[in-house]
Amino acid sequence: MRVTGGLVFDNNFRFVEKDIFTDGEFFVDGAAAVKESEATYDDKVVDASGCYVIPGLVDIHVHGCMGSDFCDGSLQAIEKLLTYEASCGVTAICPTTMTVSKEKLLKVADATREFFLHADSKDNTEEFARKKSLQNKAHFIGINMEGPFISPKKKGSQELSDILAPDVDFAREMIKRSGGKISLIDIAPETEGAMDFIRELAGEVTISIAHTDCDYNTAMKAMNLGAHHVTHLYNAMSPFLHRAPGVVGAAADDPECMVELITDGVHHHHSVDRNTFRLIDKDRIVLISDSMRATGLPDGSYELGGHEVHVEGKRALLSDGTIAASVTNLYDCMITLVKEIGIPLETAVQCATINPAKSVHADDKLGSITPGKYADFLLVDKDTLELKAAFCKGKCVI
């Protein structure tokens, strides 16, 4: 396939006039394709005139949508997540658990392993048909475990009774039961055993500081041990104060640390989001949705982690007024960052594509329009920033 006429987001984070080419599921080198013959790519031509061509978005922190939650622990919930996200231009995700019981988490791990067995099936049977159907869905990168290794003091909408001390053995059981599909594990560094947990697993999965009341020094110790990631910066953590900079200050000081930012216009004041880009380099900021099962549905009452959540407009609140999660998909978060918060489009695209892919070590196949990577890309109206089309693995999904 040849995509022509658009302004393409390149690896220097600029929009340039050029054609891009795909061969099956992957991007290919355009110059080589034209030189060798059109046989190296199919004869389909996509006219992207009037559009930006950007990589498919990557959301590494997403709980649910359309009435389903990843913690439901079913193939149906997984497929609903992947289908909805692709329809919103989010072509790769890390479905995210919460602090629920061990039994529920293991059920999620089992469902994940089963999903990948179906997806990787080579049989020309019902399983083959199932694999083919996955072509119109987003990539499942791996599980994001947001809990249960968190602080009770900063639990947010997480369930207090299911919080556990950091447990390497249980983490390894989750890794095994999921078929090795754990991408990220959250942890509160001040909890007993946290530092040993980080030492043991930081080389295998991304360790993220989250739901924590730790101070600056404790956070820096965790980062020095390999926890170079922070979950939803500012939310459910020690505040950033002038004599007690906490996790936020530590994240700013650690040049390897990636930080998640929810830019739905609800979780933070716009000034906070703008100033985050002054405090922390744009190469280290990862946009996330943190969306729950109410995403894509009307206002009403919904469940999240065993708690009732009341949704009105963009707000999802517990009964005590605590912000529970988001009801905004990542594409809309990216557009809010540009149109309402005032961050340049080029920066917003970077933070919603290659940065999250790097943060979970998936940038070898995702996050940019580069030969050899999956042909995941979006056509975005240059004037309105409306999503006009989305392609995942070379297939048009909307």
Side-chain angles (χ1 to χ4, degrees):
M1 174 169 55
R2 182 177 193 154
V3 183
T4 187
L7 287 173
V8 178
F9 190 72
D10 71 4
N11 290 336
N12 294 312
F13 313 130
R14 303 171 304 176
F15 287 105
V16 298
E17 293 184 7
K18 69 174 184 177
D19 293 353
I20 61 172
F21 296 81
T22 71
D23 181 18
E25 295 186 347
F26 301 96
F27 292 116
V28 294
D29 182 82
V34 171
K35 182 178 180 180
E36 292 176 11
S37 82
E38 291 198 1
T40 59
Y41 61 93
D42 65 40
D43 59 2
K44 182 177 180 180
V45 176
V46 174
D47 184 2
S49 298
C51 290
Y52 295 116
V53 183
I54 70 173
L57 306 193
V58 180
D59 194 348
I60 63 167
H61 190 146
V62 49
H63 295 281
C65 63
M66 302 300 291
S68 290
D69 187 284
F70 187 45
C71 281
D72 293 344
S74 68
L75 287 174
Q76 292 76 16
I78 293 171
E79 292 187 10
K80 188 173 286 188
L81 258 168
L82 300 179
T83 302
Y84 172 81
E85 294 299 331
S87 77
C88 299
V90 183
T91 56
I93 66 172
C94 287
T96 305
T97 60
M98 293 189 66
T99 298
V100 294
S101 68
K102 280 187 174 182
E103 291 74 21
K104 287 184 178 180
L105 288 172
L106 290 171
K107 183 181 177 183
V108 169
D110 290 341
T112 298
R113 185 185 69 253
E114 185 179 356
F115 171 85
F116 279 99
L117 286 174
H118 285 309
D120 294 338
S121 172
K122 301 295 192 297
D123 296 332
N124 191 17
T125 60
E126 182 180 344
E127 299 302 334
F128 178 81
R130 187 184 187 90
K131 179 186 178 185
K132 188 174 181 180
S133 75
L134 296 173
Q135 292 177 345
N136 294 331
K137 297 177 176 65
H139 300 269
F140 184 157
I141 300 171
I143 296 172
N144 176 350
M145 285 182 63
E146 188 190 9
F149 311 130
I150 63 173
S151 167
K153 292 182 180 179
K154 294 290 183 180
K155 66 182 182 61
S157 57
Q158 310 271 0
E159 179 54 51
L160 179 63
S161 62
D162 290 322
I163 293 174
L164 301 175
D167 184 338
V168 171
D169 290 339
F170 180 63
R172 291 205 180 282
E173 185 175 6
M174 285 289 294
I175 292 170
K176 181 179 180 180
R177 290 273 285 265
S178 67
K181 297 298 183 179
I182 304 293
S183 293
L184 191 150
I185 300 177
D186 287 3
I187 195 165
E190 73 274 26
T191 54
E192 185 178 355
M195 298 301 175
D196 289 337
F197 185 98
I198 296 168
R199 284 191 192 92
E200 181 76 17
L201 291 174
E204 300 177 35
V205 300
T206 298
I207 303 293
S208 186
I209 296 174
H211 289 270
T212 173
D213 195 39
C214 76
D215 61 14
Y216 173 89
N217 290 335
T218 303
M220 283 304 304
K221 182 178 179 181
M223 291 175 187
N224 289 335
L225 289 173
H228 298 298
H229 194 278
V230 173
T231 295
H232 46 51
L233 192 71
Y234 304 113
N235 299 106
M237 66 182 57
S238 48
F240 180 46
L241 302 175
H242 61 297
R243 284 191 294 272
V247 176
V248 179
D253 282 348
D254 176 10
E256 296 183 60
C257 187
M258 308 292 283
V259 302
E260 298 176 359
L261 200 64
I262 309 171
T263 57
D264 60 352
V266 173
H267 279 74
H268 320 127
H269 192 284
H270 288 352
S271 175
V272 171
D273 287 330
R274 278 192 295 272
N275 280 289
T276 300
F277 282 87
R278 298 183 179 103
L279 181 67
I280 297 175
D281 190 87
K282 64 184 178 64
D283 294 344
R284 300 198 283 119
I285 296 176
V286 173
L287 299 191
I288 62 164
S289 70
D290 195 18
S291 64
M292 60 166 289
R293 71 169 77 240
T295 304
L297 296 177
D299 293 353
S301 294
Y302 298 90
E303 181 272 341
L304 177 69
H307 298 274
E308 186 176 35
V309 177
H310 304 281
V311 174
E312 183 174 352
K314 287 186 175 182
R315 291 184 175 274
L317 305 176
L318 299 179
S319 58
D320 64 1
T322 300
I323 294 177
S326 163
V327 288
T328 306
N329 64 65
L330 183 61
Y331 188 87
D332 288 342
C333 287
M334 181 182 73
I335 299 306
T336 296
L337 185 64
V338 175
K339 287 189 170 183
E340 298 182 22
I341 299 171
I343 299 300
L345 177 62
E346 292 86 345
T347 298
V349 172
Q350 177 186 350
C351 295
T353 56
I354 191 63
N355 288 4
K358 286 180 178 178
S359 74
V360 291
H361 311 292
D363 54 309
D364 59 331
K365 292 296 183 183
L366 303 170
S368 66
I369 298 173
T370 303
K373 292 191 180 185
Y374 281 110
D376 302 340
F377 64 95
L378 314 179
L379 304 186
V380 178
D381 187 279
K382 288 196 297 184
D383 296 321
T384 66
L385 300 186
E386 177 186 356
L387 179 61
K388 306 299 290 186
F391 291 77
C392 188
K393 292 165 266 188
K395 301 289 185 181
C396 186
V397 294
I398 58 169

